[in-house]
Amino acid sequence: MVFILGIVLFALGICLSVALHEAGHMWAAKAFGMKVRRYFIGFGPTIFSFRRGETEYGMKWIPLGGFCDIAGMTALDEVTPEESKRAMWRFKTWKRTVVMSAGSAMHFILGFIILYLMAVTMGLPNPAAQAAPTEAVISATSCARPATTMEQLNDTACPPGAPTPAKTAGLQAGDKVVSVAGKPIKTWREMLAAVQVASGPTPFVVERNGQTLNLTVDVPRVQRLVADGSNNTTVKDVGMIGASPVQNTAPPMLAYGPVDAVGATFSFTGTMFSETAKRLIEFPSRIPAVVDSIFGGERDPNTPVSVVGASRIGGEAAERGLWEIFVLLLASLNFFIGVFNLLPLLPLDGGHIAVVWYERVRDWFRKLRGKAAGGPVDYTKLSAVTMVLVFIGGAVTLLTVTADIVNPVKLFQ
């Protein structure tokens, strides 16, 4: 029941984001004196509508988007004689830019508000808690076992007969690793890298109670699911000794007062923008993994998800009481949509902004040559490119939705 409630709440959050996106366009257009004919949430048959002033407001049955109908968004749009002077394409470049970017701005504002409210209630993620262990100090020894799936990786139980190289060699909790195979070690990450390339009897130098000890660890090679530098997970044959680092004791979340939360939210927002940009750059390279997951391959948790998949993750977070993940996911989705919508590709808002500024730069060069302005761009000449991008976008959406139905990303694999 909580799972379904989480899905519904997350879906409602997405609907609110869409409503505010279109409201951003509408409010900016009205502020500049453009005529807004209609403002609707959803598509398909109309559930209800009403008119206030010159604008019709309403809701439709399919809650997968919305629209704000501004008169004369392009010079090809039909307008009545009364609308002609207030057609959007007649306004200055900067005003049209503000109107077209206002939708993304609403996503950014909403994301910031969500993070601020999170900061003063449940807190924001603590960067110190996210950091990897620094010193190569052993907390405990266990076994070196294969783990080629997320289920096996999350299962820390040692199967009968599994080798325990670190324990067998005499490594103990509290030992600080100084070198592996003659290579000086300063951090746990360096030790992990040195062990993964090792095989067979390998010399270890450790510090224990102020003394330096020379030990030999017989490092086995096992198949293990590991992450590369791009956060992709692949199965590799690596060396493993069966040892875990001293855990980070920093609190996972930090709560802030109403004033301190402002700076903390701005800082964390910057981090989320950076992560969003990284995800966008990696997006094309992750599509093959989505296709593979549809046909039975293991679903990489870092592959793109659709609104369906995001809602499902939100439901799972709610079911487990992980509301901080629920809220973070909603905020990150707003940042992603806001940035994605500004990409200079038609029919995204960023594509329309690019056309508007192309007109401005083109007319500036024409003026330098003593020529008259070239007039609005003919969108019919861009229709072929637009249709290709719409087709690609539709195909990607279909792929991610299908993958999220047949092989969804799960919080706990």
Side-chain angles (χ1 to χ4, degrees), residues 229-232 277-287 302 304:
S230 302
N231 292 324
N232 293 312
K278 181 180 178 182
R279 294 290 183 184
L280 278 173
I281 293 172
E282 296 174 349
F283 191 93
S285 65
R286 297 191 184 277
I287 296 300
N302 293 306

Side-chain angles (χ1 to χ4, degrees), residues 33-35 70-75 77 79-80 82-91 96:
M34 302 174 190
K35 181 175 180 181
I70 304 173
M73 291 185 67
T74 74
D77 295 344
V79 294
T80 65
E82 294 78 16
E83 295 172 335
S84 180
K85 292 182 179 180
R86 299 171 62 195
M88 181 175 172
W89 68 268
R90 292 184 179 276
F91 284 72
R96 285 187 283 166

Side-chain angles (χ1 to χ4, degrees), residues 49-288:
S49 70
F50 61 92
R51 182 171 292 278
R52 181 168 295 173
E54 63 185 11
T55 305
E56 181 185 8
Y57 301 85
M59 180 170 289
K60 294 179 176 289
W61 278 108
I62 306 174
L64 296 179
F67 62 91
C68 173
D69 180 13
I70 304 173
M73 291 185 67
T74 74
L76 296 179
D77 295 344
E78 292 185 7
V79 294
T80 65
E82 294 78 16
E83 295 172 335
S84 180
K85 292 182 179 180
R86 299 171 62 195
M88 181 175 172
W89 68 268
R90 292 184 179 276
F91 284 72
K92 291 183 178 180
T93 299
W94 73 269
K95 291 184 177 180
R96 285 187 283 166
T97 301
V98 169
V99 172
M100 288 184 285
S101 60
S104 287
M106 292 304 295
H107 286 296
F108 301 148
I109 293 171
L110 181 59
F112 182 87
I113 292 174
I114 291 172
L115 291 179
Y116 176 81
L117 294 175
M118 183 178 178
V120 298
T121 54
M122 59 185 72
L124 293 175
N126 182 5
Q130 309 282 324
T134 51
E135 290 188 324
V137 179
I138 294 174
S139 170
T141 58
S142 57
C143 61
R145 57 182 179 79
T148 58
T149 65
M150 290 299 296
E151 288 84 356
Q152 292 174 339
L153 195 64
N154 291 327
D155 181 11
T156 58
C158 287
T164 55
K167 182 178 180 180
T168 302
L171 285 167
Q172 300 177 8
D175 285 354
K176 181 179 179 180
V177 179
V178 177
S179 70
V180 175
K183 181 179 179 180
I185 298 297
K186 293 183 179 180
T187 66
W188 184 267
R189 190 182 298 275
E190 290 179 355
M191 192 204 80
L192 188 64
V195 168
Q196 287 183 343
V197 298
S199 178
T202 304
F204 273 63
V205 178
V206 301
E207 288 184 0
R208 181 188 300 165
N209 299 324
Q211 295 183 334
T212 300
L213 302 177
N214 294 292
L215 304 173
T216 300
V217 182
D218 191 6
V219 182
R221 304 291 293 181
V222 299
Q223 286 197 320
R224 193 82 172 173
L225 191 67
V226 296
D228 60 21
S230 302
N231 292 324
N232 293 312
T233 53
T234 55
V235 175
K236 293 184 178 180
D237 188 52
V238 299
M240 191 174 179
I241 63 172
S244 55
V246 173
Q247 296 299 313
N248 195 330
T249 58
M253 306 291 285
L254 289 178
Y256 299 86
V259 177
D260 293 340
V262 176
T265 303
F266 270 113
S267 177
F268 193 73
T269 297
T271 300
M272 294 201 76
F273 268 115
S274 175
E275 287 298 313
T276 298
K278 181 180 178 182
R279 294 290 183 184
L280 278 173
I281 293 172
E282 296 174 349
F283 191 93
S285 65
R286 297 191 184 277
I287 296 300

